[in-house]
Amino acid sequence: MLFGVPMQLLPPGRRPLSQGSRAGLGAALVLLVLVSVLEFADESEVNYVGLVAAAPFLAAALASWRVVVAVGVIATALAALLAWGGHVVPLATTVNLVGVVLATAIASLFAVIRQRQADRIAELSKLASVAQQAVLRPLGPQVGSLAVAGHYISSTAAADIGGDLYEAIDTPYGVRMIIGDVRGKGLDAVRLASIVLGSYRHVAYERADLRAIVADLDRAVARNVGDEDFVTAALVEERGGTLTIVNCGHPAPLLLRRGQVIPMEPPAPAPPLGFMPVVRPRVERLEPGDRLLLFTDGLGEARRDGEFFPTVDRAWRLLGHGTVADGLASLETALVEWVRGRLDDDIALVLMEYPGPHSATAAPVPSWEVGAADN
């Protein structure tokens, strides 16, 4: 009931109090009521007026400075009422009354500083989110002939920011996708992820061979990292129903086919980008309804009580039904439940579905070949 009172006392046009302000105001009013009850119920000479000074500080922990001032005014009035109610004002009571006024001023200043810090943190979190969105553009729901969905799960509740990356684009060489994981976290990881994605978005249209793209990305990473920094990555190309995968030290994608989950392990291991990887492609002929899950190592490392999340065992039940976006939502729900809401690392997920040759759209003709196509 106390939390609902401030909402009704607001002047017309004034925004409703935030949840924190309502909680702070309610807690402060409860304290003032308790002090009043003690003062009137206790017939001894013990003076409880000094406890009133705690009310503004209690409000300042959660509420805005305006609410703190309002609580201070109420506390001061209550202290004066309790002091002058007995018609005799001892010196100690007067000192307590002055203390309530000073406590209100100090608590208001504390509330201002706390609110500024909270606003600053919110602004940084917003900027981090904008930076992350600029790096990871939304995917799908359709890229070329494929149904595609991408999702980023942050291990930090304060900001969705990290070094995991993904992209899916429709090129003259088919639909090409990349998923990668930058060593490290924070803005440096986002900067390197943006470099990798910027390079990929350019060379994916220019290079006919995925191995050439890997070489270009490796040079881009090597120019912008230290000796111990690197980027794991898996590159995927779907062209006419043929799936080609090259892997640079990244977790193998999972192929979901007719109730089975098949890890797409590379023919030979290769180091991450930044260490001059020499990759060997894995080629697979797709069947209608096949789905491919790309993920970063945060999924493989998610564990509860030392037991890792059983990705392969549960992948078909979670990802094999509904739309690809529904599949990723189911996977995230199961994962968060498994780790009890505590992830140690960010996770990037991409799920694509091959509809089959009859559902495929015509391959795009580059603008410089339009005239030739008409002939």
Side-chain angles (χ1 to χ4, degrees):
M1 181 65 68
L2 287 174
F3 297 138
V5 172
M7 300 289 293
Q8 302 172 359
L9 298 179
L10 289 173
R14 184 68 62 84
R15 290 186 304 172
L17 294 178
S18 66
Q19 184 177 358
S21 293
R22 292 198 302 269
L25 179 57
L29 292 180
V30 169
L31 176 63
L32 293 179
V33 170
L34 291 177
V35 172
S36 301
V37 171
L38 287 175
E39 183 67 24
F40 285 111
D42 193 348
E43 298 180 356
S44 65
E45 297 182 356
V46 178
N47 194 313
Y48 296 98
V49 176
L51 295 177
V52 174
F57 287 106
L58 186 60
L62 297 171
S64 66
W65 68 269
R66 292 182 177 86
V67 174
V68 175
V69 171
V71 169
V73 171
I74 296 173
T76 303
L78 179 62
L81 177 64
L82 295 176
W84 274 280
H87 305 290
V88 178
V89 185
L91 178 61
T93 303
T94 303
V95 171
N96 287 336
L97 185 61
V98 174
V100 173
V101 176
L102 291 177
T104 301
I106 296 173
S108 299
L109 179 61
F110 170 78
V112 170
I113 296 174
R114 180 189 56 78
Q115 187 61 48
R116 288 180 178 176
Q117 291 177 339
D119 292 343
R120 179 62 175 168
I121 292 174
E123 175 114 7
L124 291 175
S125 179
K126 183 178 180 180
L127 289 175
S129 179
V130 170
Q132 187 77 359
Q133 293 174 9
V135 173
L136 298 181
R137 301 182 300 195
L139 295 185
Q142 195 81 13
V143 180
S145 63
L146 305 179
V148 179
H151 190 53
Y152 192 96
I153 306 174
S154 176
S155 61
T156 305
D160 294 334
I161 190 166
D164 292 17
L165 58 98
Y166 56 73
E167 181 61 288
I169 51 181
D170 191 12
T171 75
Y173 308 103
V175 177
R176 286 177 164 177
M177 294 174 283
I178 184 175
I179 191 162
D181 189 358
V182 177
R183 178 182 180 273
K185 294 180 180 291
L187 290 176
D188 288 339
V190 173
R191 179 187 64 84
L192 184 53
S194 67
I195 292 173
V196 173
L197 285 176
S199 300
Y200 176 76
R201 287 163 182 159
H202 173 70
V203 299
Y205 288 95
E206 304 295 331
R207 305 297 189 190
D209 193 327
L210 289 181
R211 289 170 292 188
I213 297 178
V214 168
D216 289 336
L217 296 181
D218 178 68
R219 287 190 291 269
V221 171
R223 286 193 297 264
N224 291 277
V225 300
D227 295 337
E228 298 182 357
D229 295 325
F230 56 84
V231 180
T232 66
L235 284 72
V236 176
E237 175 187 285
E238 184 279 324
R239 187 175 188 180
T242 298
L243 185 72
T244 305
I245 304 174
V246 295
N247 196 314
C248 304
H250 197 78
L254 300 179
L255 178 64
L256 285 69
R257 171 179 293 168
R258 299 194 302 272
Q260 296 183 332
V261 179
I262 308 169
M264 294 285 99
E265 298 289 351
L273 298 174
F275 293 143
M276 295 184 292
V278 177
V279 296
R280 292 180 56 190
R282 172 163 182 168
V283 180
E284 186 83 17
R285 188 64 185 175
L286 291 174
E287 299 179 3
D290 281 354
R291 290 187 173 186
L292 186 72
L293 175 66
L294 311 176
F295 58 94
T296 53
D297 59 4
L299 177 61
E301 296 175 357
R303 55 187 177 270
R304 177 186 64 193
D305 301 330
E307 185 178 359
F308 291 97
F309 180 74
T311 304
V312 175
D313 295 338
R314 302 183 63 180
W316 176 257
R317 293 196 300 272
L318 296 172
L319 302 170
H321 308 281
T323 66
V324 288
D326 293 337
L328 290 186
S330 298
L331 176 59
E332 179 182 8
T333 300
L335 177 66
V336 173
E337 181 181 357
W338 177 270
V339 300
R340 302 188 180 98
R342 300 182 62 181
L343 289 170
D344 297 327
D345 195 6
D346 297 347
I347 301 172
L349 303 169
V350 176
L351 182 64
M352 75 85 166
E353 180 178 0
Y354 174 66
H358 298 295
S359 302
T361 58
V365 179
S367 59
W368 59 85
E369 295 185 1
V370 170
D374 294 337
N375 295 331

